[in-house]
């Protein structure tokens, strides 16, 4: 009875337009106060405990790093490198756009940020060489979803916090699926390009690849710092996020100089010797180090990151309170018994989870939906023998598809904004590629080794205690 009332209140408030965080928190408090044997004082205790979750500290740092890396200069350098590598293939500009999204996803951890940073430049580039605006928009909207699958991923951190699984294992688990998803999109573009005779670039040459790679190298080095640091035992995922934020600030302000007091100042002037350039840049960095922290563009990135963090953390804290009510009322255990008695096994359970998430993803933001669903389905999955890391990656892939399905697909709105196309036009452009992601979802759902082989080979199996 309590379970039905709780879910009716949450869904009712959501359909009335109440924000997700308030819907979860208010429903939880009313359930505890009116129907539960739990003390109302547990609300304050749970809110405090949730806010002290060490894993969640990684989220604001990854958001901040994404803010600094989302400057146009970083994306432009990545796109140049991608075009140099694959632009000579049939449909090469579109394939390069997917490749760029994959690389930028490993820097930002955010799908909308990937669409904005890469799409703003790549769509214009594709239009210049003869691609239709619809095709370019469809490519970017779908490839941008890789931002939450290729590590580091903010959504993976949220799942880890909600279920107490390892962030490190989740990051590793996203590597192979992320590569497979990117390659499937590239293959679809290549086949389409061969059939329709889409344009290709001339081969830029090894020199251009090395030059573009060197220019993009400082940004791409962030991937090695985050993942190498975590799996090399240098720092935890949360510490890696903090290091990433500091490094991203330093690169954006003092190396690439896309923002801050040195914006527009070249690293090396015409005719200047390397030694003189090094001395001059060292002096400029020292002289502008403190002003760089207080520059208007730096403050804007900090404020925007702070707003996003506050919004997301407010949702997370209330969702963890919701999870506490579920646990105290033994709702997951009751649902587990019902599903087992009904003859569900791991195969049919995964079908049910996919359906729930695909429907929910059409109406809710990924982190909020995941925080509602994960506490319910996770214990059921464990009871039916589903691997926790496999379940997490499967849920992330569902969140990907949710970001490109109407009416609330975030990537659709972002793509519409940067292209000037109507939402309906973007939806139509995205649909052929959504079919590829549906095929990929089936692959991830029923081939667990895609998700589990790499993390368990390097870190061992995930141990779930008291779940």
């Amino acid at each position: 009875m309590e379970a039905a009332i709780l879910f009716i209140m949450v869904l009712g408030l959501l359909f009335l337009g109440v924000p997700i965080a308030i819907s979860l928190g208010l429903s939880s408090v009313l359930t505890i106060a009116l129907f539960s044997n739990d003390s109302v004082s547990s609300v304050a205790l749970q809110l405090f405990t949730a806010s002290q979750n060490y894993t969640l500290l990684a989220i604001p740092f990854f958001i901040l790093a994404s803010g600094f890396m989302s400057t146009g200069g970083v994306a432009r350098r990545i796109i140049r490198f991608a075009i140099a590598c694959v632009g000579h293939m049939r449909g090469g500009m579109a394939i390069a756009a997917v490749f760029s999204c994959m690389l930028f996803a490993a820097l930002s951890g955010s799908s909308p940020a990937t669409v904005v940073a890469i799409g703003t430049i790549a769509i214009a580039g594709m239009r210049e060489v003869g691609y239709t605006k619809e095709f370019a928009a469809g490519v970017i909207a779908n490839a941008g979803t890789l931002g939450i699958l290729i590590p580091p991923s903010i959504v993976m951190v949220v799942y880890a916090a909600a279920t107490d699984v390892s962030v490190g294992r989740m990051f590793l688990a996203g590597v192979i699926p992320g590569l497979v998803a990117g390659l499937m999109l590239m293959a679809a573009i290549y086949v389409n390009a061969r059939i329709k005779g889409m344009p290709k670039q001339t081969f830029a040459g090894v020199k251009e690849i090395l030059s573009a790679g060197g220019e993009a190298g400082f940004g791409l080095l962030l991937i090695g710092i985050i993942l190498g640091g975590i799996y090399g035992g240098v720092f935890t995922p949360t510490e890696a996020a903090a290091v990433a934020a500091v490094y991203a600030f330093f690169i954006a302000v003092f190396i690439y100089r896309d923002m801050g007091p040195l914006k527009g100042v070249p690293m090396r002037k015409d005719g200047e010797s390397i030694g003189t350039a090094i001395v001059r840049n060292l002096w400029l960095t020292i002289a502008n180090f403190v002003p760089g922290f207080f520059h208007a563009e730096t403050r804007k990135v900090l404020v925007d990151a702070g707003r996003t963090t506050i919004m997301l953390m407010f949702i997370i804290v209330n969702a963890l309170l919701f999870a506490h009510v579920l646990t105290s009322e033994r709702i997951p255990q009751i649902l587990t018994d019902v599903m087992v008695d009904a003859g569900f096994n791991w195969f049919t359970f995964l079908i049910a989870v996919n359906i729930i998430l695909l429907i929910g993803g059409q109406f809710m933001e990924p982190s909020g939906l995941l925080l509602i669903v994960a506490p319910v389905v996770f214990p059921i999955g464990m009871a039916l023998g589903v691997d926790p890391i496999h379940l997490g990656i499967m849920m992330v892939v569902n969140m990907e598809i949710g970001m490109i399905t109407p009416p609330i697909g975030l990537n659709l709105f972002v793509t519409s904004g940067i292209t000037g196309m109507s939402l309906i036009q973007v939806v139509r452009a995205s649909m052929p590629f959504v079919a590829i992601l549906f095929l990929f979802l089936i692959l991830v759902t029923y081939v667990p080794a895609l998700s589990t082989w790499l993390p368990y080979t390097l870190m061992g199996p995930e141990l779930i205690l008291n779940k």
Side-chain angles (χ1 to χ4, degrees):
M1 180 63 180
E2 289 83 357
I5 294 173
L6 175 63
F7 284 107
I8 288 171
M9 282 195 291
V10 171
L11 295 175
L13 290 171
L14 287 173
F15 280 117
L16 288 174
V18 178
I20 294 173
I22 296 176
S23 298
L24 294 173
L26 182 59
S27 300
S28 301
V29 171
L30 290 176
T31 300
I32 291 174
L34 302 176
F35 305 104
S36 175
N37 294 325
D38 203 358
S39 171
V40 177
S41 62
S42 66
V43 174
L45 179 62
Q46 287 301 316
L47 291 176
F48 177 79
T49 302
S51 65
Q52 298 298 304
N53 191 318
Y54 179 72
T55 301
L56 293 178
L57 191 59
I59 292 176
F61 289 121
F62 277 131
I63 291 173
L64 186 57
S66 174
F68 285 118
M69 280 297 178
S70 293
T71 59
V74 178
R76 186 178 64 253
R77 292 172 176 90
I78 289 176
I79 291 172
R80 179 192 167 195
F81 174 64
I83 292 173
C85 291
V86 299
H88 60 283
M89 301 172 63
R90 182 70 64 182
M93 275 293 290
I95 294 174
V98 176
F99 188 26
S100 300
C101 287
M102 294 172 69
L103 293 175
F104 196 84
L107 301 178
S108 69
S110 166
S111 183
T114 302
V115 173
V116 171
I118 300 298
T120 303
I121 302 169
I123 290 176
M126 283 189 275
R127 293 283 291 126
E128 287 180 5
V129 298
Y131 294 86
T132 65
K133 181 185 286 189
E134 289 74 16
F135 183 81
V139 168
I140 293 298
N142 284 268
T145 63
L146 298 173
I148 62 172
L149 179 60
I150 296 177
S153 164
I154 294 172
V155 174
M156 288 184 187
V157 175
V158 171
Y159 174 81
T163 58
D164 289 331
V165 303
S166 164
V167 176
R169 287 184 177 86
M170 283 298 299
F171 281 180
L172 272 181
V175 172
I176 293 178
L179 293 175
V180 171
L183 290 173
M184 288 178 68
L185 288 173
M186 289 181 184
I189 291 169
Y190 180 75
V191 171
N192 196 29
R194 296 287 297 183
I195 294 173
K196 296 184 178 179
M198 291 183 179
K200 63 178 180 178
Q201 313 293 108
T202 57
F203 180 55
V206 176
K207 184 177 179 180
E208 169 64 12
I209 293 176
L210 294 176
S211 174
E215 190 176 335
F218 285 106
L220 297 178
L221 183 60
L222 182 61
I223 303 171
I225 291 175
I226 294 174
L227 300 183
I230 292 173
Y231 303 117
V234 180
F235 34 63
T236 66
T238 300
E239 292 164 346
V243 172
V246 174
Y247 178 82
F249 162 76
F250 186 82
I251 292 300
V253 175
F254 299 110
I255 302 298
Y256 287 156
R257 299 176 180 177
D258 300 312
M259 57 182 292
L262 296 178
K263 185 175 183 178
V265 178
M267 290 290 289
R268 186 180 179 184
K269 297 179 180 179
D270 293 338
E272 187 178 36
S273 67
I274 295 177
T276 303
I278 291 174
V279 173
R280 180 176 61 85
N281 285 300
L282 183 61
W283 165 247
L284 286 173
T285 300
I286 294 172
N288 291 277
F289 188 75
V290 174
F293 283 94
F294 298 96
H295 192 272
E297 291 180 329
T298 304
R299 290 201 306 271
K300 183 179 185 304
V301 172
L302 291 170
V303 170
D304 290 344
R307 288 172 177 164
T308 304
T309 299
I310 291 171
M311 176 194 71
L312 191 55
M313 295 301 285
F314 187 49
I315 294 173
I316 290 171
V317 168
N318 281 282
L320 292 178
L321 176 61
F322 176 76
H324 164 71
V325 176
L326 294 177
T327 303
S328 65
E329 298 300 318
R330 302 188 73 254
I331 293 173
Q333 289 82 357
I334 294 171
L335 292 176
T336 301
D337 294 339
V338 170
M339 295 184 77
V340 171
D341 292 340
F344 273 72
N345 55 28
W346 69 273
F347 188 93
T348 50
F349 166 74
L350 293 180
I351 293 176
V353 172
N354 279 332
I355 292 173
I356 292 170
L357 291 174
L358 289 173
I359 294 174
Q362 296 179 351
F363 302 97
M364 293 184 65
E365 187 271 335
S367 296
L369 175 61
L370 191 146
L371 285 165
I372 293 173
V373 176
V376 178
V377 304
F378 186 82
I380 302 172
M382 298 309 97
L384 295 174
V386 178
D387 185 272
I389 299 298
H390 170 223
L391 179 62
I393 295 300
M394 191 191 82
M395 295 183 77
V396 171
V397 174
N398 275 283
M399 298 301 98
E400 280 191 278
I401 296 175
M403 301 191 82
I404 47 175
T405 50
I408 314 293
L410 289 178
N411 281 17
L412 299 177
F413 287 98
V414 174
T415 305
S416 174
I418 64 177
T419 60
M421 298 167 63
S422 70
L423 186 62
I424 298 298
Q425 288 176 310
V426 176
V427 170
R428 288 174 179 168
S430 300
M431 283 303 103
F433 297 100
V434 174
I436 303 296
L437 291 184
F438 270 114
L439 180 62
F440 173 64
L441 174 61
I442 296 172
L443 192 65
V444 167
T445 300
Y446 293 111
V447 186
L450 278 178
S451 308
T452 59
W453 179 80
L454 186 60
Y456 290 174
T457 299
L458 297 181
M459 299 181 68
E462 179 75 22
L463 299 178
I464 301 297
L465 304 175
N466 299 321
K467 291 292 181 185

